[in-house]
């Protein structure tokens, strides 16, 4: 008995080869389309892995040192060590916490450990020569490990141990307690000479200026019992200590990591208002003085801080979640506290990653659907080319199973090699540690493409043989299964939109990186709209052909009538065109919205191209000349008062007041996204008060409405204002803080002779002027704040996730347009044989070449134009419908809501490209048919 041959399951490899060779262009196009799709889909997860690590490391690098690093703190008194290192016990305590209480995963990213020893706070109670200082001043001693290379001595010497000096102590002592020369102790007065410890310190120029001290000056200090580091016994202590300024130092920039962004040694902390000014200064302590201070001030504790520096370059994205969990497992000893914002930073990163994956998955899934659709129409073209040979094979006894299996082999041959090549190329070029996600993407493309080839061949495989022979009869009976499937797709699309909008409006953080429903939603919506369009094409074209039949010429009637009679299988390109254009325009709209949102965020955050302000909120810009600073640029003055109490409101809330020169500001923001109409009420004459804008963020009980009259407590004058409008935001003002905006000229008029000093300048200037303006500013006022809108926008656009999304959406746009063009050409090609035959009949009946061209145009252009237009509208509407679930604010700064922006240019360009490609294909077809042998075309009996 003969063994069955494997080839008996199919119609033979030779037939398979002939079928592919019958349309080599289509086969090559399928390979290229699948290869490009596979390259993109397999590259996305590999690039995501790189981008995720870059984003995480960038987030950690840009975070403040106290946020990304670990800080352990303890209050008490650690015994000074003997020998050369008085801080040996401090070092030992810090190393013990690192080895004992910090998990290995956290220790693996910690590269440095430094400590800070800070004394209790002293109040400066007497100044040189008995002259009392004009402001209350407080002082702390600090030793900071590892700053030797960051300190440069400018004058004097570094602090060292000093011998005690005599000092007068008592209620009846002279004004200068350090002036003991010639003093004689007496029984009738309360004053005696005491040897007093002297503690030297080195301070910066800023600290020296604030304390009004110089090298060699000595002041008397006492325990500041308001500081919790002092014990109760220090209350009422008469004996003090001497603080001696040994030197003036210059420190490296505060941005150097060793400083931990702690400016205590760089400059004093000053608290001031119109009534008082408090100075809190810190100076460098001599290491050898640590034991002396412990002994001389037994009632004062020290604050010990250990700083564990995390190296962002050692943090991997795939280990972020485990690292975040291990940070929570840190176990400090009793009396120690460990502070870090590393878990919060990792949580923010994980949320951004989840939002990025969810957004990109929509575009990727849509592109895969469009790519599979392109394979479908190209496979349908191949099937149409060998339709007669298939009929012949079936006449000779080939079974449907054999043909179906042959179709499957054909799909595997056309699609799988391209998918494998795409996977291998991205693996070689990009690498990556997780091959699972790219492998799944490649397998999905291969399976989808092979299935598309089988579907494209199914009419030839499963239709009755008699119907296949009647090539002129292309109508198909109604299929209940197809109707049910179409209804299911429509219902699923509507349900997906409803669920995603409800989920997005709930404002819940993403729980999954990949949301399958959101990923398939754009493609599902495109298919649903395509089904509706295909159902409407026939009645619409029938009506148009009826209108065309009423004219004298038959060209329009014949072309439109062929659209009515065309085979349903040839309408698949229409669906693919619509889907591809919808996916492309969805990506374009989202990409444009991200760019517009980033620009608007920068305007809202800065308020102009550049913003200059005092070194602290509300501090006047002393010594800054706007004319010289903004030479050749427009500028507007503004005054920001951080805390103004509102009188007349229900709860008298404290708000921020921004008074800006409206006339100049209009010129500064002209042509920007800033709403100029919102500024108009501020310059209207007020009958009962100065018109102002208020924010929506006021307390509910105190929230004013238009027309409400209020008074602002501003020293001796309480300006009367009237609410002219309520706004949700205003440029340069942070969201979430209640504010009032008014015209600066009206404020100065109201305040009369009282000075209203400028605190903010808003400048209009191109990005290249940034360095020049900042250089002028530093020469005028070194501590002034300078912010650039252009820099904010560049930082948002340059974020690794945002940049990856922008480039990915651009690729989807281009490939979607390319697939639409392929489908448009396939729509022309799939019926080319029948069209040539029909035109041959008409040409023998006297049809002119120009009329034949016009018929071809009427037959092709309306469908493609309609599918492209509807696809563009579908893509734009899909972006708007899914906006709540997309959460694009995470890529535009997150402080202000971002809107979906639909611009006409991408729609026009996409439509023009698709129509141009089709126009070229029509021209080629017309030129080819003009040279056809009509005698050969009309030999019907030979078929």
């Amino acid at each position: 008995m003969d063994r069955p041959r494997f080839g008996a399951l199919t119609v033979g490899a030779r037939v398979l080869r002939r079928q592919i060779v019958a349309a080599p262009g289509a086969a090559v196009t399928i390979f290229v389309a699948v290869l490009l799709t596979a390259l993109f889909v397999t590259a996305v997860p590999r690039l995501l892995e790189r981008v995720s690590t870059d984003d995480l490391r960038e987030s950690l690098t840009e975070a403040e040192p106290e946020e990304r690093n670990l800080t352990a703190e303890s209050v008490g008194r650690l015994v000074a060590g003997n020998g050369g290192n008085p801080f040996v016990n401090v070092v030992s305590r810090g190393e013990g916490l690192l080895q004992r209480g910090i998990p290995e995963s956290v220790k693996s990213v910690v590269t440095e450990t430094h400590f800070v020893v800070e004394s209790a706070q002293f109040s400066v109670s007497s100044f040189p020569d008995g002259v009392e200082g004009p402001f209350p001043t407080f002082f702390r001693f600090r030793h900071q490990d590892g700053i030797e290379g960051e300190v440069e001595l400018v004058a004097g010497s570094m602090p060292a141990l000093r011998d005690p000096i005599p000092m007068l102590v008592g209620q009846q002592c002279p004004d200068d307690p350090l002036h003991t020369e010639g003093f004689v102790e007496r029984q009738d007065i309360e004053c005696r000479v005491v040897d007093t410890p002297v503690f030297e310190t080195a301070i910066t120029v800023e600290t020296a200026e604030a304390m009004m001290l110089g090298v060699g000056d000595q002041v008397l200090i006492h325990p500041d019992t308001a500081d919790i580091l002092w014990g109760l016994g220090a209350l009422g202590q008469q004996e003090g200590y001497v603080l001696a300024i040994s030197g003036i130092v210059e420190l490296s920039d505060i941005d150097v990591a060793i400083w931990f962004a702690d400016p205590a040694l760089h400059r004093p902390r000053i608290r001031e208002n119109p009534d008082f000014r408090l100075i809190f200064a810190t100076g460098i302590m001599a290491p050898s003085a640590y034991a002396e201070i412990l002994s001389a001030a037994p009632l004062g504790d020290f604050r010990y801080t250990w700083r564990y520096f995390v190296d962002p370059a050692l943090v991997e994205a795939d280990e972020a979640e485990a690292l975040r969990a291990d940070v929570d497992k840190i176990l400090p000893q009793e009396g120690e506290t460990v502070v870090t914002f590393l878990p919060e930073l990792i949580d923010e990163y994980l949320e951004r990653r989840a939002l990025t994956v969810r957004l990109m998955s929509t575009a990727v899934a849509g592109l895969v659907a469009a790519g599979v659709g392109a394979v479908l129409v190209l496979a349908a073209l191949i099937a149409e080319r060998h339709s007669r040979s298939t009929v012949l094979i079936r006449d000779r006894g080939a079974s449907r199973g054999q043909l179906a299996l042959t179709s499957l082999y054909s799909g595997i041959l056309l699609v799988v090699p391209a998918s494998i090549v795409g996977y291998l190329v991205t693996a070689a070029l990009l690498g990556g540690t997780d091959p699972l996600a790219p492998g799944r993407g490649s397998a999905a493309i291969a399976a989808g493409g092979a299935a598309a080839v089988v579907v494209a061949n199914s009419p030839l495989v499963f239709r009755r043989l008699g119907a296949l022979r009647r090539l002129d009869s292309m109508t198909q009976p109604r299929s209940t299964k197809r109707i049910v499937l179409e209804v299911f797709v429509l219902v699923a699309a509507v349900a997906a939109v409803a669920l995603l909008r409800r989920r997005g409006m709930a404002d819940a953080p993403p729980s999954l990186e990949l949301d399958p429903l959101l990923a398939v939603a754009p493609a599902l919506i495109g298919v649903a709209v395509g089904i509706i369009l295909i159902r409407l094409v026939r009645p619409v074209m029938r009506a148009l052909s009826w209108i065309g039949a009423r004219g004298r010429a038959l060209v329009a009637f014949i072309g439109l009538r062929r659209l009515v009679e065309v085979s349903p299988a040839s309408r698949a390109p229409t669906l693919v065109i619509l889907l591809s254009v919808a996916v492309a325009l969805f990506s374009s709209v989202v990409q444009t919205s991200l760019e517009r949102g980033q620009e608007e965020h920068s305007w809202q955050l800065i308020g102009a191209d550049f913003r200059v302000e005092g070194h602290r909120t509300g501090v006047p810009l002393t010594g800054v000349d706007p004319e010289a600073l903004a030479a050749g640029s427009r500028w507007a003055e503004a005054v920001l008062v951080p805390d103004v109490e509102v009188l007349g409101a229900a709860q008298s809330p404290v708000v921020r007041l921004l008074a800006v020169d409206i006339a100049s500001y209009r010129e500064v923001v002209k042509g920007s996204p800033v709403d100029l109409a919102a500024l108009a009420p501020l310059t209207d004459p007020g009958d009962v008060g100065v018109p102002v804008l208020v924010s929506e963020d006021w307390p509910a009980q105190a929230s004013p409405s238009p027309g409400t009259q209020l008074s602002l407590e501003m020293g001796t004058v309480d300006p009367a204002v009237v609410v002219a409008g309520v706004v949700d935001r205003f440029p340069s003002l942070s969201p979430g803080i209640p504010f009032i905006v008014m015209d600066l000229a009206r404020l100065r008029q109201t305040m009369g002779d009282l000075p209203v000093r400028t605190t903010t300048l808003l400048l209009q200037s191109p990005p290249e002027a940034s360095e020049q303006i900042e250089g002028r500013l530093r020469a005028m006022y070194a501590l002034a704040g300078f912010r650039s809108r252009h820099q904010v926008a560049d930082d948002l656009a340059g974020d690794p996730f945002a940049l990856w999304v922008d480039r990915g959406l651009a690729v989807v746009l281009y490939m979607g347009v390319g697939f639409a063009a392929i489908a448009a050409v396939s729509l022309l090609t799939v019926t080319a044989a029948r069209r040539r035959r029909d035109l041959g009949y008409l040409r023998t009946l006297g049809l002119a070449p120009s009329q034949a061209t016009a018929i071809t145009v009427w037959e092709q252009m309306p469908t493609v134009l309609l599918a492209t237009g509807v696809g563009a509208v579908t893509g734009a509407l899909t972006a708007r419908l899914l906006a709540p679930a997309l959460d694009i604010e995470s890529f535009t700064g997150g402080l202000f809501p971002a809107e979906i922006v639909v611009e006409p240019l991408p729609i026009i360009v996409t439509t023009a490209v698709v129509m141009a490609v089709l126009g070229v294909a029509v021209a080629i077809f017309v030129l080819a048919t003009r040279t056809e042998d009509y005698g050969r075309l009309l030999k019907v009996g030979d078929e």
Side-chain angles (χ1 to χ4, degrees):
M1 181 177 178
D2 295 335
R3 297 176 60 186
R5 293 180 300 167
F6 179 75
L9 296 175
T10 68
V11 294
R14 182 178 300 176
V15 174
L16 178 62
R17 181 179 61 82
R18 289 178 178 176
Q19 290 176 350
I20 296 177
V21 172
V28 172
T29 307
I30 288 176
F31 183 88
V32 173
V34 173
L35 176 61
L36 293 177
T37 306
L39 287 172
F40 180 74
V41 173
T42 57
V44 163
R46 298 184 187 278
L47 289 174
L48 175 63
E49 187 176 341
R50 290 187 177 184
V51 170
S52 297
T53 298
D54 292 343
D55 186 89
L56 177 58
R57 291 175 177 174
E58 182 176 299
S59 299
L60 296 179
T61 302
E62 294 180 353
E64 295 296 332
E66 67 269 21
E67 294 179 345
R68 71 170 178 267
N69 299 312
L70 285 76
T71 303
E73 187 174 288
S74 178
V75 172
R77 297 170 62 86
L78 296 179
V79 178
N82 297 322
N85 185 7
F87 300 105
V88 62
N89 293 324
V90 179
V91 174
S92 176
R93 180 81 171 267
E95 291 179 349
L97 173 61
L98 179 64
Q99 300 300 326
R100 178 196 69 256
I102 298 181
E104 286 297 328
S105 62
V106 181
K107 284 193 291 187
S108 65
V109 298
V110 173
T111 55
E112 292 183 60
T113 303
H114 294 283
F115 65 87
V116 175
V117 177
E118 192 172 65
S119 72
Q121 184 167 275
F122 298 86
S123 62
V124 180
S125 57
S126 180
F127 284 76
D129 300 324
V131 178
E132 199 68 28
F135 307 115
T137 303
F138 305 90
F139 191 85
R140 292 183 189 273
F141 295 95
R142 171 179 288 192
H143 172 79
Q144 185 162 342
D145 170 49
I147 63 171
E148 291 77 12
E150 310 296 332
V151 179
E152 180 181 352
L153 185 65
V154 176
S157 61
M158 294 302 290
L161 275 178
R162 284 270 299 271
D163 294 331
I165 62 174
M167 186 181 74
L168 301 177
V169 177
Q171 298 292 335
Q172 297 175 318
C173 290
D175 292 336
D176 186 0
L178 298 179
H179 187 68
T180 61
E181 184 177 353
F183 177 81
V184 178
E185 294 187 11
R186 296 163 47 186
Q187 296 293 330
D188 58 339
I189 62 172
E190 186 182 349
C191 185
R192 66 184 188 279
V193 178
V194 177
D195 287 337
T196 304
V198 179
F199 303 137
E200 286 192 345
T201 186
I203 56 179
T204 62
V205 174
E206 292 86 351
T207 303
E209 290 177 352
M211 296 181 68
M212 297 188 300
L213 297 175
V215 175
D217 286 337
Q218 298 183 138
V219 295
L220 184 64
I221 58 176
H222 282 86
D224 176 24
T225 53
D227 185 1
I228 61 173
L229 294 184
W230 288 104
L232 293 177
L235 187 63
Q237 176 180 330
Q238 291 187 1
E239 295 82 0
Y241 312 93
V242 175
L243 171 66
I245 308 300
S246 67
I248 303 296
V249 296
E250 182 177 335
L251 308 181
S252 59
D253 193 88
I254 191 66
D255 293 332
V256 176
I258 190 68
W259 298 116
F260 225 68
D262 180 1
L265 285 175
H266 287 70
R267 53 184 177 270
R269 181 169 58 92
I270 300 176
R271 293 178 56 190
E272 61 180 332
N273 63 25
D275 299 325
F276 66 87
R277 176 183 172 104
L278 302 178
I279 300 173
F280 299 88
T282 304
I284 298 175
M285 172 180 65
S288 56
Y290 173 61
E292 185 71 16
I293 297 177
L294 280 173
S295 174
L299 299 178
D301 287 335
F302 279 77
R303 178 176 287 107
Y304 303 94
T305 304
W306 296 271
R307 296 168 176 175
Y308 304 96
F309 290 82
V310 173
D311 186 356
L314 300 179
V315 182
E316 298 292 340
D318 56 350
E319 300 172 356
E321 291 188 68
L323 179 63
R324 188 250 181 273
D326 287 343
V327 171
D328 292 334
K329 299 177 183 178
I330 295 177
L331 299 174
Q333 283 186 345
E334 184 179 356
E336 295 176 345
T337 58
V338 176
V339 178
T340 180
F341 291 90
L342 188 58
E344 287 76 5
L345 293 174
I346 294 177
D347 286 342
E348 292 175 3
Y349 152 76
L350 293 174
E351 183 174 345
R352 286 199 311 273
R353 176 189 166 98
L355 292 170
T356 301
V357 172
R358 293 176 66 187
L359 177 58
M360 277 302 297
S361 65
T362 59
V364 172
L367 183 64
V368 170
V372 171
V375 173
L376 175 64
V377 297
L378 292 168
L381 175 60
I382 296 175
E384 190 275 336
R385 290 290 178 87
H386 61 73
S387 58
R388 290 189 179 87
S389 62
T390 303
V391 173
L392 180 61
I393 292 173
R394 287 186 61 180
D395 274 336
R396 294 180 177 178
S399 67
R400 292 178 176 177
Q402 289 176 313
L403 290 173
L405 202 55
T406 301
S407 300
L408 178 59
Y409 290 167
S410 177
I412 294 174
L413 180 62
L414 290 171
V415 174
V416 173
S419 300
I420 295 175
V421 170
Y423 177 86
L424 295 177
V425 169
T426 57
L429 296 179
L430 302 177
T433 58
D434 182 15
L436 186 59
R440 288 175 177 173
S442 179
I445 295 171
V453 175
V454 173
V455 171
N457 285 274
S458 60
L460 295 175
V461 175
F462 296 105
R463 285 186 64 185
R464 290 181 293 107
L465 192 56
L468 286 176
R469 293 195 184 100
R470 295 192 297 271
L471 297 178
D472 293 333
S473 177
M474 299 307 298
T475 60
Q476 281 185 330
R478 293 184 179 273
S479 172
T480 304
K481 293 181 180 180
R482 187 171 67 252
I483 295 175
V484 170
L485 179 61
E486 292 175 354
V487 171
F488 173 78
V489 172
L490 296 176
V491 172
V494 173
V497 171
L499 290 174
L500 289 172
R501 286 184 62 84
R502 177 180 298 180
R503 183 191 304 170
M505 293 176 178
D507 200 23
S511 57
L512 295 174
E513 284 194 352
L514 179 61
D515 186 344
L517 182 60
L518 180 62
V520 302
L524 187 61
I525 294 171
V527 173
V529 175
I531 289 173
I532 296 174
L533 177 64
I534 290 174
R535 286 291 181 180
L536 294 178
V537 163
R538 294 190 68 183
V540 170
M541 294 307 171
R542 184 180 289 110
L544 292 177
S545 65
W546 178 79
I547 296 174
R550 299 177 67 86
R552 297 182 61 183
L554 295 178
V555 171
F557 169 74
I558 295 174
L560 293 172
R561 193 63 186 173
R562 284 184 56 81
L563 288 176
V564 178
E565 297 178 352
V566 75
S567 168
S570 64
R571 296 187 192 123
T574 304
L575 176 61
V576 176
I577 294 172
L578 188 148
L579 176 60
S580 300
V581 172
V583 170
L585 265 297
F586 172 82
S587 300
S588 175
V589 168
V590 174
Q591 184 183 27
T592 302
S593 301
L594 293 177
E595 294 173 355
R596 185 70 59 84
Q598 292 166 357
E599 181 183 9
E600 291 184 356
H601 176 90
S602 66
W603 276 104
Q604 290 294 333
L605 192 64
I606 305 302
D609 288 330
F610 301 104
R611 186 175 78 206
V612 177
E613 54 194 352
H615 64 281
R616 292 193 314 278
T617 303
V619 174
L621 284 171
T622 307
V624 176
D625 181 7
E627 292 283 356
L629 179 66
S633 304
R634 294 187 177 95
W635 52 274
E637 292 182 273
V639 174
L640 179 63
V641 184
D643 46 1
V644 173
E645 186 173 353
V646 180
L647 307 177
Q651 294 182 340
S652 299
V654 176
V655 303
R656 284 194 170 186
L657 171 65
L658 176 66
V660 60
D661 185 353
I662 298 300
S664 300
Y665 190 58
R666 286 179 180 274
E667 297 298 320
V668 169
V669 298
K670 183 179 294 183
S672 74
V674 175
D675 185 8
L676 295 178
L679 304 176
L682 299 179
T683 55
D684 293 340
D687 297 332
V688 294
V690 179
V692 297
L693 298 177
V694 301
S695 66
E696 296 177 345
D697 299 317
W698 286 41
Q701 295 81 357
S703 181
S705 58
T708 303
Q709 299 179 27
L710 304 170
S711 294
L712 308 180
E713 185 179 14
M714 300 182 66
T716 58
V717 178
D718 298 337
V721 300
V722 59
V723 178
V726 180
V727 295
D728 60 340
R729 51 183 166 171
F730 193 86
S732 79
L733 292 175
S734 301
I737 301 177
F739 62 77
I740 292 179
V741 181
M742 62 190 305
D743 186 11
L744 180 58
R746 301 294 298 273
L747 176 63
R748 284 176 169 160
Q749 180 183 1
T750 303
M751 299 299 290
D753 295 334
L754 295 177
V756 179
R757 294 182 293 177
T758 301
T759 65
T760 307
L761 288 176
L762 301 168
L763 312 177
Q764 181 197 56
S765 197
E768 54 270 16
S770 175
E771 293 185 4
Q772 184 180 21
I773 295 175
E774 188 173 9
R776 295 173 183 169
L777 177 64
R778 297 303 172 215
M780 299 177 187
Y781 184 12
L783 297 179
F786 178 78
R787 299 197 66 184
S788 167
R789 177 190 68 82
H790 309 289
Q791 186 62 49
V792 171
D794 291 344
D795 290 343
L796 288 174
D799 176 80
F801 277 142
L803 189 62
W804 183 69
V805 167
D806 180 74
R807 293 177 177 176
L809 292 175
V811 172
V812 173
L813 169 63
Y814 300 141
M815 293 185 66
V817 174
F819 289 148
I822 291 174
V825 175
S826 298
L827 181 62
L828 173 71
T829 309
V830 74
T831 56
R834 298 186 182 89
R835 189 180 305 106
R836 286 199 301 270
R837 184 193 59 198
D838 294 344
L839 290 178
Y841 280 120
L842 294 173
R843 289 290 298 276
T844 58
L845 296 176
L847 187 71
S850 59
Q851 291 176 312
T853 302
I855 288 176
T856 304
V857 172
W858 273 102
E859 182 182 350
Q860 298 298 316
M861 292 299 183
T863 302
V864 176
L865 185 60
L866 185 62
T868 304
V870 173
V873 173
T874 300
L877 288 179
T878 299
R880 285 189 174 274
L881 289 173
L882 301 182
L886 295 176
D887 192 16
I888 64 174
E889 286 84 1
S890 58
F891 303 96
T892 60
L895 295 179
F896 307 99
E899 298 180 353
I900 296 296
V901 179
V902 180
E903 293 186 348
L905 183 60
I907 297 177
I908 295 173
V909 172
T910 300
T911 304
V913 169
V914 176
M915 299 305 295
V917 172
L918 180 61
V920 172
V922 169
I924 294 173
F925 172 81
V926 169
L927 292 175
T929 54
R930 286 187 176 183
T931 60
E932 287 282 348
D933 183 356
Y934 295 108
R936 183 178 60 83
L937 285 175
L938 297 179
K939 292 180 180 179
V940 181
D942 291 347
E943 297 178 0

